[in-house]
Amino acid sequence: MNYLQHTKELDGQAYRPEEPVIFTKADSALLKNGKSFFIPDWSARIDYEAELVVRICRLGKGIPERFAHRYYDALTVGIDFTARDLQQQARRQGLPWTICKGFDGSAAIGQWVDKSELPPLGQLSFRLDINGNTVQQGRAADMLFSIDQIISYLSRFFTLKTGDLLFTGTPVGVGPVAINDHLQGYLDGRPVLDFRCK
């Protein structure tokens, strides 16, 4: 819930949450090195959500926003796969999103790019193509909560550790995946993510 038009896409009206919407994924959710994503049979609809992903590079707790940039060293594009039917049910009942967001293979990540090789965050863009067609485009400048704000907020509650990965929210354009879909993610125009659904 970190892009205005995505809040409208999900809830019918655009709004800014009072605080970042946070959930966690276990390490078994990681899908990397171009491995295929196997669509689970226990959900009627698995949606893709392309996101900028940040790699934490040092231990931190209670990090002031002005120092947050020191706590990550690389970015990539990732997919936060979501069992949308289970999420809608959980939202209606006020239940956690653990299963609908954190199931095995639900956190696909691309190749890391050192942040020194990228433009300033205000100019950073990313996109997701499926079967050769662009389905999502986003810019870090359009985030409701910046990367530095999210890091500072999270570190109030969790100790951030080297190697932790922070997915930063998805722009408008989410939708379902199907068997044989080919997903490709681009960070500032460079290909970083490439895998298929099975």
Side-chain angles (χ1 to χ4, degrees):
M1 312 299 286
N2 201 22
Y3 289 83
L4 198 61
Q5 291 306 309
H6 178 59
T7 65
K8 183 176 182 180
E9 180 177 47
L10 283 191
D11 294 331
Q13 62 181 4
Y15 63 94
R16 184 184 195 274
E18 291 184 15
E19 297 177 330
V21 176
I22 303 300
F23 54 88
T24 60
K25 293 182 182 249
D27 58 3
S28 58
L30 277 179
L31 184 71
K32 51 189 178 180
N33 302 323
K35 292 182 178 176
S36 296
F37 172 70
F38 289 87
I39 299 173
D41 60 6
W42 43 257
S43 172
R45 176 171 168 160
I46 300 291
D47 278 6
Y48 59 81
E49 297 186 10
E51 309 192 9
L52 282 177
V53 185
V54 175
R55 184 176 69 193
I56 301 298
C57 63
R58 58 191 293 191
L59 188 72
K61 175 73 174 172
I63 302 165
E65 184 181 332
R66 68 184 183 277
F67 296 136
H69 66 279
R70 300 178 182 176
Y71 287 82
Y72 60 97
D73 62 354
L75 295 95
T76 191
V77 174
I79 307 295
D80 166 25
F81 282 112
T82 303
R84 191 68 71 200
D85 51 344
L86 271 66
Q87 185 192 38
Q88 289 170 346
Q89 180 180 348
R91 292 183 78 189
R92 283 193 302 269
Q93 298 176 359
L95 298 173
W97 296 0
T98 308
I99 293 175
C100 68
K101 288 283 194 179
F103 59 91
D104 287 356
S106 63
I109 57 169
Q111 298 172 334
W112 294 105
V113 180
D114 192 282
K115 70 178 182 181
S116 66
E117 299 176 22
L118 295 167
L121 287 181
Q123 302 170 25
L124 190 61
S125 64
F126 65 101
R127 79 173 200 266
L128 174 66
D129 290 0
I130 298 183
N131 303 325
N133 299 309
T134 299
V135 295
Q136 283 189 284
Q137 298 182 76
R139 300 184 315 138
D142 294 334
M143 290 180 180
L144 298 174
F145 300 97
S146 70
I147 290 172
D148 290 356
Q149 287 173 324
I150 295 170
I151 287 174
S152 180
Y153 178 80
L154 276 177
S155 72
R156 290 169 54 195
F157 310 101
F158 304 100
T159 299
L160 299 182
K161 296 182 178 181
T162 301
D164 283 349
L165 307 181
L166 172 61
F167 283 65
T168 59
T170 194
V172 69
V174 304
V177 290
I179 292 173
N180 296 324
D181 277 349
H182 183 197
L183 281 67
Q184 295 172 292
Y186 297 83
L187 179 61
D188 193 40
R190 70 173 77 189
V192 293
L193 180 69
D194 191 323
F195 67 99
R196 295 180 184 271
C197 295
K198 293 187 176 180

